[in-house]
Amino acid sequence: MKKVIKTIATAALVFAGFFAFNAGTTTSASAATKTTTSFSSVYKVAKSHLGARYVYGATGPSSFDCSGFTGYIYKKGAKVTLPRTAQAQYNSLKHVTYKNIKKGDLVFFGGSTYSISHVGMYIGKGKMIDAQNRGVVREAVHAPWWHAVGYARVNTPAATDAD
């Protein structure tokens, strides 16, 4: 019974924290919405961390959780600061459809766009790179164990039209 109460209390705190965080947060990612993502530099950083360990709450450089990974690769590869959690990243970015997804866009997973629990970076041909329980890996966006609920574009000041 104590475990159930603890789980409910933890979920309530996370839920309340999410709304408190999003109510007054501005990010440099949203300030850079007029440019295109520089995929190659971000992907280079991401590839260099393939195989890194997954640790909940970790933000790199030797271990990551999913949003810690996307935040790290965009900070190092494009000088863009993303919010800390997958939900906050989704909420702060310009949304795109899967039909219009481009390399470097973020793919979000969960029960709905209001309960996002995972994020990865799209790398083309239906694949993404992400940090998960197996560490940093490349895998299919539409794998049977993921439920994609949204896609978003991270725009960077260092982008070129060639991307």
Side-chain angles (χ1 to χ4, degrees), residues 98-132:
Y98 185 71
K99 179 182 172 187
N100 295 315
I101 198 168
K102 294 181 179 180
K103 292 178 181 179
D105 287 348
L106 298 182
V107 183
F108 296 90
F109 304 87
S112 73
T113 57
Y114 299 104
S115 63
I116 290 171
S117 57
H118 188 68
V119 60
M121 183 180 74
Y122 185 72
I123 59 174
K125 299 181 181 172
K127 301 236 183 238
M128 68 176 173
I129 187 168
D130 66 322
Q132 51 158 284

Side-chain angles (χ1 to χ4, degrees), residues 4-5 22 35 39 41 63-64 74 98 115 117 126 133 144 149 151:
V4 171
I5 292 171
N22 287 315
T35 58
F39 172 71
S41 60
S63 59
F64 301 93
Y74 268 95
Y98 185 71
S115 63
S117 57
N133 61 350
V149 295
Y151 313 90

Side-chain angles (χ1 to χ4, degrees), residues 47-108:
K47 280 194 317 185
S48 74
H49 290 86
L50 280 168
R53 285 183 331 126
Y54 175 88
V55 174
Y56 180 79
T59 57
S62 59
S63 59
F64 301 93
D65 70 7
C66 64
S67 56
F69 180 67
T70 54
Y72 181 88
I73 63 176
Y74 268 95
K75 183 72 169 172
K76 296 296 181 183
K79 309 264 187 280
V80 171
T81 301
L82 295 175
R84 177 60 191 95
T85 66
Q87 184 72 59
Q89 288 176 7
Y90 178 80
N91 292 346
S92 72
L93 298 170
K94 180 181 180 193
H95 303 156
V96 296
T97 62
Y98 185 71
K99 179 182 172 187
N100 295 315
I101 198 168
K102 294 181 179 180
K103 292 178 181 179
D105 287 348
L106 298 182
V107 183
F108 296 90

